[in-house]
Amino acid sequence: MNIKNCKSKNHEKIILLLTLAFSAFLAQAQTATLKAGDTAPDFKLKNVDNKEVSFASFPKAKGYIVVFTCNTCPYAVGYEQRIIDLDKKFKPQGYPVIAINPNDPEASKADTFDKMQDLAKEKKYPFPYLLDPGQKITDEYGAKRTPHIFIVSKTAKGNVVEYVGAIDNDPEGTKADKVKYAEDVIAALKSNQKPAVTQTKEIGCTVKRKAKA
């Protein structure tokens, strides 16, 4: 191989590497997690009862507890009852839970819509449990794990993210003195105050995505 051809191939490799790096950068930017103060994207997704649900489905709400969760993750399973309890406690106060399954059903066979329906029926979910085809809303929120929670206020300027992260600091469910991040945030909002903590590290399994061809 002559020097000219060698230089040409090296140039092609450099271009390919730069292209891949730029693509990775764009993918990361597109799935950046929302933070406090950001506008919470609305959605219209199919619930397990086959009806579409959006923020407008709760006209009297003061805000929303949007939680990305699933059927399969051990952390999500461990938080099931706590998510149910959040809805039972705070929906009457104007902050309903809206659960969204972020996992691709081809990547996680137990997270199909039928399996979601089965779980919601078995656990008697009092809140919507929504399918996110193509993970569009998952990416708009930048949800990374299950569960990953976003507490949203309904304001005159639109729906605003107030808190992002974990439900509490007790994934094992064993701490008597756990810090209840979600409850503390809503208590602050009800008192017309900004939450003292607006972001924590999300706890759970990574969102399952279909392998790219």
Side-chain angles (χ1 to χ4, degrees):
M1 182 182 293
N2 61 40
I3 295 175
K4 184 176 180 181
N5 287 339
C6 185
K7 286 183 176 179
S8 177
K9 287 189 177 295
N10 285 337
H11 181 72
E12 289 175 1
K13 287 181 181 179
I14 292 170
I15 294 297
L16 177 60
L17 289 172
L18 288 173
T19 301
L20 291 173
F22 184 65
S23 297
F25 171 79
L26 285 179
Q28 180 69 24
Q30 288 168 354
T31 59
T33 303
L34 296 179
K35 60 185 183 300
D38 288 342
T39 299
D42 204 348
F43 45 80
K44 188 176 286 187
L45 299 175
K46 185 167 72 169
N47 186 22
V48 287
D49 64 1
N50 288 303
K51 297 178 181 177
E52 289 187 331
V53 170
S54 67
F55 286 145
S57 302
F58 302 89
K60 296 182 180 180
K62 299 174 183 176
Y64 315 91
I65 304 170
V66 180
V67 56
F68 290 84
T69 189
C70 68
N71 289 17
T72 53
C73 171
Y75 291 94
V77 172
Y79 272 101
E80 277 176 351
Q81 188 58 51
R82 278 175 273 184
I83 294 170
I84 291 170
D85 291 343
L86 281 175
D87 186 72
K88 288 182 176 179
K89 181 173 182 177
F90 292 110
K91 181 160 61 179
Q93 299 177 35
Y95 293 87
V97 165
I98 302 174
I100 300 173
N101 189 337
N103 285 344
D104 187 296
E106 290 188 30
S108 180
K109 302 300 183 183
D111 281 309
T112 64
F113 187 66
D114 288 346
K115 296 290 187 182
M116 289 170 60
Q117 289 178 311
D118 291 343
L119 180 65
K121 183 177 180 180
E122 176 191 347
K123 299 296 181 179
K124 298 180 180 179
Y125 280 176
F127 47 77
Y129 187 28
L130 309 180
L131 178 70
D132 182 19
Q135 299 172 306
K136 179 177 182 294
I137 304 304
T138 299
D139 288 344
E140 287 185 1
Y141 276 77
K144 296 293 190 294
R145 296 185 179 272
T146 51
H148 199 167
I149 193 169
F150 296 75
I151 296 179
V152 177
S153 280
K154 184 162 68 174
T155 76
K157 296 181 180 179
N159 297 312
V160 177
V161 176
E162 300 284 0
Y163 169 82
V164 179
I167 292 170
D168 57 39
N169 69 337
D170 184 20
E172 294 82 13
T174 57
K175 292 181 180 178
D177 59 345
K178 70 184 71 177
V179 181
K180 298 180 179 180
Y181 301 126
E183 295 197 21
D184 291 347
V185 168
I186 294 174
L189 296 175
K190 286 177 59 187
S191 300
N192 295 316
Q193 297 177 350
K194 285 294 181 182
V197 176
T198 59
Q199 183 176 357
T200 59
K201 177 65 177 174
E202 65 277 8
I203 300 170
C205 308
T206 56
V207 169
K208 301 300 181 287
R209 296 183 178 276
K210 182 169 59 178
K212 293 183 179 179

